Amino acid sequence: MSAQLAVMATDTGINGVALAVLIVLFAIVTVAGFMASRFKRADSLESLDEWGLGGRKFGTWITWFLLGGDLYTAYTFVAVPAAMFATGAVAGFFAVPYTIVLYPIIFIFMARLWSVSHRHGYVTTADFVRGRYNSRALSLAVAVTGFVATMPYIALQLVGIQAVLEVAGLGGGDNIIAKDAPLFIAFALLAAYTYSSGLRAPAVIAFVKDILIYLVIIVAVIYLPGQVGGWTEIFGAAQDKMATTNEATGKPTGTFISVDGTHWAYATLALGSALALFMYPHSVTASLSSNSRNTIRRNAAILPAYSFVLGLLALLGWVAIAAGTNPIGLDGEPNAQLVIPQLFEDMFPAWFAGVAFAAIAIGALVPAAIMSIAAANTFSRNIYKEWLNPAATPAQEAKVSKLMSLVVKGFALIFVLTLDKQNAINFQLLGGIWILQTFPVVVFSLYTRWFHRYALLAGWAVAMVYGTVEAYQVVNPVTGKNFGGSLGMIPGLEQMGYIAMTAFVLNLVISVVLSAILNAAKVSNGEDETIPFDYIADADDPRVQKDLAQHQSHEDLYGDPDDVPGNAGAR
Amino acid sequence: MITAGVLLMIPIVALMWVPSYARIEPELLGFPFFFWYQFLWVFLCSALTYTAYRLTLAARPRRTPGESIAGPGPDGSDSTDGDR
């Protein structure tokens, strides 16, 4: 066994069996994705809408199962363990408090957003802002931010796919085209079937994905720790590694637990990510698709259980340290993103490594599809129809959505090819810096109209510029690339913290001060089309029922992407 | 409602207060305190959120099925909790 392990660990070439399993499973999913468009409404019991309506009758347990499948993506399987492996707990384990405090936060505001959205037929946060302040500019700001911030998030999923392909031995070669060819092929397939099948594609694939992911998670977190000598051994190996000195910076390699200088970083990364997640278009679409405002709250109570498994998966990055996993890319350079696929290849029989690879790759494809559809819908509804072609028919709107789902993925690909992939978790954090700046506009406005629309716009604009400039100035000490991290000095505290939170506070201060001035000067704050009752209406309200009925099918642009009511969207 | 809000704030405050748990001892099953303490909060948070959910359900007045509620509700005030 150990001799076999050694051979496999040093072999960076093609792993035939694993690759074959990966390709077969990938092909099945791709065919299913294309076939999805051929399901016809109400033709038979097998039809997707039947399946979808069935989904609305699912009990708590099945819904819970399906939800979980959505939460495990490239972020969980690739980026977080890679950050744990490379630089330790502060860089990676913050994902656990992030995914815990997330739920109390959404519990508080999401029900109000659900109610007002279904009373007025809003399907994006930009719609709500437009209705609340009658401000096209503020609505545009929210829409553009949602569109742009989704790109690095999709890029993270593509990095996950690329990591799997690279460990499986694909993507070698010296020239750029051959090197990235498998990524381009996976990308093209994803783009093609989301283009042709729309929301139906992720809905059909989601089930396969969930089963594969659970299989791999259960096996990985039960089987692997025992193979390397148990948890004491694992934490010991991690502690030793994190205490060594990094040659490039002269500082310790990483953090075993949060220490005095990193508490702010740890807390702000967790809180900033949690506040940001439900501002993304795909999360909003998924939450609004739930059948009652209480579905979201009930789910908020049962979903934290998944954070437990997320934590164990994060610790797989340290299992890899104890196992001596050596993630070397096909270009001969070390690449931390490869650590989990490499660990699986080293420790599992080849066929199961193939299953694990497929789980990661498909687990990244589904959210990438959902995210790109949601971002594209925001574009067609709040930018195209609102600004470019107000007379657009639903058919034109759908066509623009389809095209934009390609464009947004194209931009994501540019992120993958140009930014520093060594630290993929940073892609998600970069998106967070941007999307978090829409939080005051959306969430505060759910409760009060004291904030002035121009003040919110000014706060957003300054924070966006500040956050982007700060993030750009973070240079990776090893590669010398910009956008090398998401931590910056917090002015006044002289501690490192998540740039998104610093920008968020700046945003708040500007919004409050300017609102006070503009309100005192009695500058008009726009017409409000909502009434207080809108924010507490439930599914028993006739207007809400009408709106719910409208967005039930996968034909509809703004329907539920995966038939799981009220889910968090992919992480 | 206030109780529910306090219950929801507890996990946020506890987990943001990083110095309170950034230590290795006491270990549990080989896990340093820093890790098992955060794992523990997964369940505490779930329990607190569920309790808050029950509280909001109880606080929301039940309506009879036939009653029309198309217009502004009886509680038309611009409440800031909105969970009644």
Side-chain angles (χ1 to χ4, degrees):
Chain A
M1 184 65 188
S2 61
Q4 187 196 355
L5 279 182
V7 171
M8 284 168 73
T10 51
D11 173 22
T12 53
I14 291 180
N15 182 338
V17 179
L19 188 61
V21 174
L22 169 64
I23 290 176
V24 167
L25 288 171
F26 204 83
I28 291 171
V29 162
T30 305
V31 171
F34 281 113
M35 295 283 284
S37 66
R38 305 174 71 181
F39 284 108
K40 287 278 183 257
R41 193 192 310 219
D43 275 353
S44 72
L45 280 174
E46 308 272 298
S47 86
L48 192 69
D49 280 341
E50 288 299 317
W51 192 81
L53 289 169
R56 290 186 179 81
K57 293 182 204 121
F58 285 158
T60 309
W61 285 107
I62 295 180
T63 304
W64 191 72
F65 171 86
L66 288 171
L67 281 169
D70 273 356
L71 303 184
Y72 299 110
T73 71
Y75 178 77
T76 343
F77 262 119
V78 174
V80 169
M84 291 289 285
F85 176 81
T87 50
V90 172
F93 207 73
F94 79 86
V96 172
Y98 152 35
T99 54
I100 296 173
V101 302
L102 176 68
Y103 296 107
I105 291 171
I106 62 163
F107 185 101
I108 294 167
F109 75 82
M110 195 47 92
R112 277 178 85 87
L113 184 62
W114 186 94
S115 294
V116 73
S117 297
H118 287 296
R119 284 274 293 176
H120 288 272
Y122 303 144
V123 293
T124 65
T125 48
D127 288 349
F128 163 66
V129 170
R130 172 128 164 60
R132 183 68 152 155
Y133 293 101
N134 192 22
S135 170
R136 294 176 75 205
L138 198 53
S139 168
L140 179 69
V142 172
V144 169
T145 313
F147 188 69
V148 172
T150 307
M151 291 171 190
Y153 214 160
I154 298 172
L156 172 67
Q157 308 299 331
L158 294 177
V159 170
I161 297 170
Q162 194 182 29
V164 164
L165 295 173
E166 199 164 337
V167 172
L170 285 181
D174 294 327
N175 67 64
I176 287 175
I177 296 174
K179 188 166 168 278
D180 289 316
L183 177 67
F184 282 132
I185 294 168
F187 174 82
L189 288 173
L190 166 71
Y193 71 66
T194 43
Y195 184 89
S196 71
S197 306
L199 286 174
R200 286 160 173 261
V204 166
I205 299 171
F207 215 78
V208 181
K209 184 199 109 171
D210 290 348
I211 292 166
L212 284 177
I213 290 230
Y214 277 105
L215 189 65
V216 172
I217 285 177
I218 291 167
V219 172
V221 301
I222 292 174
Y223 172 76
L224 289 179
Q227 292 302 106
V228 296
W231 287 106
T232 311
E233 193 74 18
I234 292 163
F235 285 112
Q239 193 164 17
D240 291 346
K241 175 178 170 172
M242 295 308 152
T244 56
T245 307
N246 182 329
E247 285 162 23
T249 60
K251 291 175 185 163
T253 302
T255 44
F256 178 61
I257 62 167
S258 181
V259 293
D260 276 347
T262 62
H263 295 329
W264 277 96
Y266 194 80
T268 53
L269 280 169
L271 186 61
S273 303
L275 293 173
L277 184 69
F278 273 77
M279 295 293 109
Y280 283 103
H282 65 274
S283 313
V284 174
T285 308
S287 307
L288 295 186
S289 68
S290 60
N291 52 9
S292 131
R293 63 188 253 136
N294 282 326
T295 306
I296 298 164
R297 293 191 155 164
R298 209 165 36 241
N299 282 333
I302 56 176
L303 281 172
Y306 285 110
S307 309
F308 190 85
V309 180
L310 172 83
L312 291 176
L313 286 173
L315 290 174
L316 282 187
W318 285 5
V319 172
I321 295 176
T325 305
N326 194 10
I328 302 283
L330 291 171
D331 53 4
E333 299 289 322
N335 180 355
Q337 302 312 315
L338 308 180
V339 69
I340 291 306
Q342 189 66 57
L343 176 72
F344 287 171
E345 191 187 30
D346 294 348
M347 307 294 284
F348 287 143
W351 70 269
F352 193 75
V355 173
F357 290 172
I360 300 175
I362 298 164
L365 276 179
V366 172
I370 294 175
M371 287 175 199
S372 62
I373 291 169
N377 287 348
T378 291
F379 180 90
S380 65
R381 187 174 173 99
N382 300 112
I383 301 175
Y384 172 73
K385 196 170 190 321
E386 181 73 32
W387 293 85
L388 303 175
N389 182 8
T393 62
Q396 281 174 314
E397 208 183 324
K399 195 169 178 204
V400 169
S401 267
K402 281 177 130 187
L403 282 172
M404 288 318 289
S405 79
L406 295 182
V407 171
V408 71
K409 283 195 279 278
F411 277 116
L413 198 56
I414 294 172
F415 270 93
V416 177
L417 298 177
T418 55
L419 285 189
D420 187 358
K421 270 181 292 190
Q422 286 287 331
N423 188 6
I425 198 168
N426 188 43
F427 283 18
Q428 199 261 0
L429 292 172
L430 183 63
I433 291 174
W434 292 328
I435 200 74
L436 183 58
Q437 307 319 322
T438 63
F439 189 92
V441 185
V442 176
V443 177
F444 296 170
S445 302
L446 286 171
Y447 293 90
T448 173
R449 259 172 53 89
W450 180 84
F451 287 94
H452 198 281
R453 52 181 175 166
Y454 299 135
L456 289 168
L457 190 61
W460 168 84
V462 173
M464 286 293 280
V465 172
Y466 171 84
T468 311
V469 169
E470 283 288 304
Y472 178 79
Q473 284 173 347
V474 180
V475 177
N476 183 316
V478 181
T479 59
K481 286 194 179 185
N482 293 102
F483 288 115
S486 295
L487 293 176
M489 203 59 87
I490 307 172
L493 279 172
E494 304 314 319
Q495 295 265 3
M496 295 299 273
Y498 184 19
I499 293 165
M501 283 307 281
T502 317
F504 180 69
V505 172
L506 184 67
N507 189 343
L508 277 189
V509 170
I510 294 172
S511 298
V512 169
V513 171
L514 285 184
S515 291
I517 295 171
L518 289 166
N519 287 338
K522 302 220 183 319
V523 178
S524 162
N525 199 10
E527 288 283 311
D528 182 7
E529 69 176 31
T530 67
I531 54 170
F533 176 75
D534 289 342
Y535 295 89
I536 53 170
D538 205 344
D540 53 5
D541 182 84
R543 270 172 73 174
V544 171
Q545 282 168 351
K546 200 173 144 212
D547 190 64
L548 280 172
Q550 260 176 10
H551 298 300
Q552 275 199 355
S553 86
H554 291 278
E555 302 295 342
D556 184 84
L557 274 180
Y558 311 105
D560 189 347
D562 57 3
D563 287 314
V564 184
N567 57 338
R571 292 210 194 96
Chain B
M1 287 319 304
I2 294 165
T3 321
V6 171
L7 290 180
L8 293 171
M9 286 309 294
I10 292 171
I12 300 177
V13 172
L15 284 165
M16 292 304 105
W17 185 20
V18 185
S20 71
Y21 57 86
R23 50 199 156 92
I24 292 173
E25 300 294 334
E27 292 192 4
L28 182 75
L29 305 173
F31 280 63
F33 182 77
F34 183 73
F35 297 97
W36 71 255
Y37 179 78
Q38 293 182 69
F39 279 123
L40 179 67
W41 268 105
V42 169
F43 300 102
L44 294 178
C45 180
S46 201
L48 290 169
T49 314
Y50 186 74
T51 312
Y53 168 67
R54 301 302 305 188
L55 285 174
T56 56
L57 279 191
R60 194 185 168 91
R62 299 220 173 266
R63 290 194 174 90
T64 50
E67 191 183 344
S68 167
I69 45 164
D75 47 351
S77 64
D78 196 1
S79 74
T80 49
D81 58 3
D83 300 314
R84 286 167 300 140

